[in-house]
């Protein structure tokens, strides 16, 4: 979206990143991490778009990104960053080092919703969220803003109205003319009522559900078994996680929405659906850390029975934050070059990608690199 007010000629063009769930762990890590990398305090580890393959794609510079967003909580970003540092998610001393950048982003956070007692109807909520976006872009003289949903997972809604909160925010992005990324398993633009609006908007969009841990491994290991002609009989898994995501995924309906993408990766890469399922357990003591365990039973030559077990222990916010920055930069550049509709080429980042895309990580990365080269040619 181009702002109606031209950016100042004295500074380079800037790109907005509007985070739904702007005061959560992932969003706080995004803002603090971007500031740390720009200041040279930390290397860009985990940022795919900082690799040489993307150097010529004319992506927005990290230093040009301006942050804002919606949230229903009032804990300011500097305070949230201190909490994350205390939990080992952010390096000690980093919140103080980037306090100014955190405070600047926090000043651009607007109340989300709907909150209990809110009497506004869906159209009024969408209009209010869109107005916040338009004000953000025009007041700060931004070239465009990309809306990224990083809020906690919501349960899958029943068919028909009303729209769930994630879809209200997605509709507001369309109304404001902003490209949209759904980094969560929540419905967002997937709601049937938004399909015609998304198609008519002419905007690029991507999602859904960022691939940061267990499914990332599955998208590598599934093709390995298939390519080596090994017969996978059963694939079971368990996730232990805390924080806001752990609490929200304690709801069986929310967990089902998240597990759908994990199961789809196996079906697509193996060509069959093995026995077994994924269990998600909320362990509040883990905070932003998670453990994912997989048990794979497979047959080799002459029916010899074997087992592979994997354990993934990671910090969800630190795994997700660089991918959010990658996606904001790529989608902003796609919008600049005139691309529209679902960006299937960004499947590398998602469990349940939009559009027609492969499920194997190697194939997805090849598609992503081709996409980046196309952005360079799109200049």
């Amino acid at each position: 979206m181009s702002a109606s007010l031209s950016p100042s000629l004295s500074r380079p063009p800037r790109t907005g990143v509007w985070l739904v769930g702007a005061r959560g762990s992932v969003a706080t890590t995004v803002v603090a991490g971007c500031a740390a990398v720009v200041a040279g305090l930390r290397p860009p580890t985990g940022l795919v778009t900082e690799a040489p393959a993307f150097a010529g794609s004319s992506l927005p510079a990290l230093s040009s990104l301006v942050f804002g967003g919606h949230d229903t909580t009032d804990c300011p970003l500097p305070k949230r960053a201190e909490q994350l540092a205390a939990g080992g998610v952010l390096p000690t001393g980093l919140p103080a080092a980037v306090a100014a950048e955190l405070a600047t982003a926090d000043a651009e956070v607007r109340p989300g919703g709907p909150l209990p007692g809110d009497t506004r109807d869906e159209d009024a909520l969408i209009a209010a969220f869109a107005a916040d976006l338009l004000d953000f872009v025009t007041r700060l003289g931004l070239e465009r803003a990309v809306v990224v949903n990083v809020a906690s997972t919501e349960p899958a809604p029943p068919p028909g109205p009303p729209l769930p909160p994630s879809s209200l925010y997605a509709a507001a992005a369309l109304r404001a003319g902003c490209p949209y990324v759904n980094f969560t398993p929540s419905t967002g633009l997937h709601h049937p009522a938004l399909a015609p609006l998304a198609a008519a908007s002419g905007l690029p969009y991507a999602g859904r559900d960022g691939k940061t841990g267990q499914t990332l491994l599955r998208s590598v290991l599934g093709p390995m078994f298939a390519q080596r002609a090994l017969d996978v009989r059963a694939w079971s898994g368990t996730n232990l996680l805390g924080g806001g995501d752990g609490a929200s995924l304690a709801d069986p309906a929310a967990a089902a929405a998240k597990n759908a993408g994990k199961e789809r990766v196996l079906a697509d890469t193996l060509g069959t659906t093995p026995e077994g399922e994924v269990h998600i357990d909320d362990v509040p003591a883990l905070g932003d850390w998670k453990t994912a365990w997989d048990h794979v039973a497979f047959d080799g030559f002459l029916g010899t029975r074997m087992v592979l077990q994997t354990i993934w222990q990671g910090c969800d916010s630190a795994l997700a934050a660089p991918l959010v920055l990658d996606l904001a930069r790529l989608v902003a550049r796609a919008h600049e070059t005139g691309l529209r509709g679902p960006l299937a080429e960004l499947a590398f980042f998602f469990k349940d990608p939009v559009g027609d895309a492969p499920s194997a990580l190697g194939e997805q990365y090849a598609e992503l690199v081709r996409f980046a080269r196309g952005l360079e040619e799109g200049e």
Side-chain angles (χ1 to χ4, degrees), residues 32 44 64 70 86-87 103 167 184-185 203 241 252 260 265 270 292 309 354 369:
S64 76
H70 283 116
S167 295
T184 80
L203 294 166
L241 69 164
V265 167
L270 295 174
Q309 294 187 55
V354 297
V369 171

Side-chain angles (χ1 to χ4, degrees), residues 194-244:
L194 298 187
L197 298 176
S201 71
L203 294 166
Y205 57 90
R208 69 181 165 170
D209 200 4
K211 185 164 57 189
T212 58
Q214 186 177 47
T215 309
L216 180 66
L217 278 179
R218 289 178 169 211
S219 67
V220 174
L221 295 175
M224 177 196 74
F225 284 109
Q227 291 162 7
R228 289 295 300 268
L230 298 170
D231 182 22
V232 175
R233 294 181 293 106
W235 197 316
S236 301
T238 295
N239 276 253
L240 308 177
L241 69 164

Side-chain angles (χ1 to χ4, degrees), residues 182-187 190 205-212 215 256-265 268 342-344 346-359 364:
N182 189 1
F183 201 75
T184 80
S186 300
T187 303
H190 274 66
Y205 57 90
R208 69 181 165 170
D209 200 4
K211 185 164 57 189
T212 58
T215 309
K258 193 169 190 69
N259 282 338
K262 296 176 182 288
E263 295 164 359
R264 188 174 299 108
V265 167
D268 289 349
L343 299 177
L346 302 185
F348 176 80
F349 297 100
F350 299 106
K351 297 182 183 73
D352 185 19
V354 297
D356 185 14
S359 294
Q364 291 176 341

Side-chain angles (χ1 to χ4, degrees), residues 5 30 78 288 294:
L5 300 179
V30 167
D288 282 274
D294 272 23

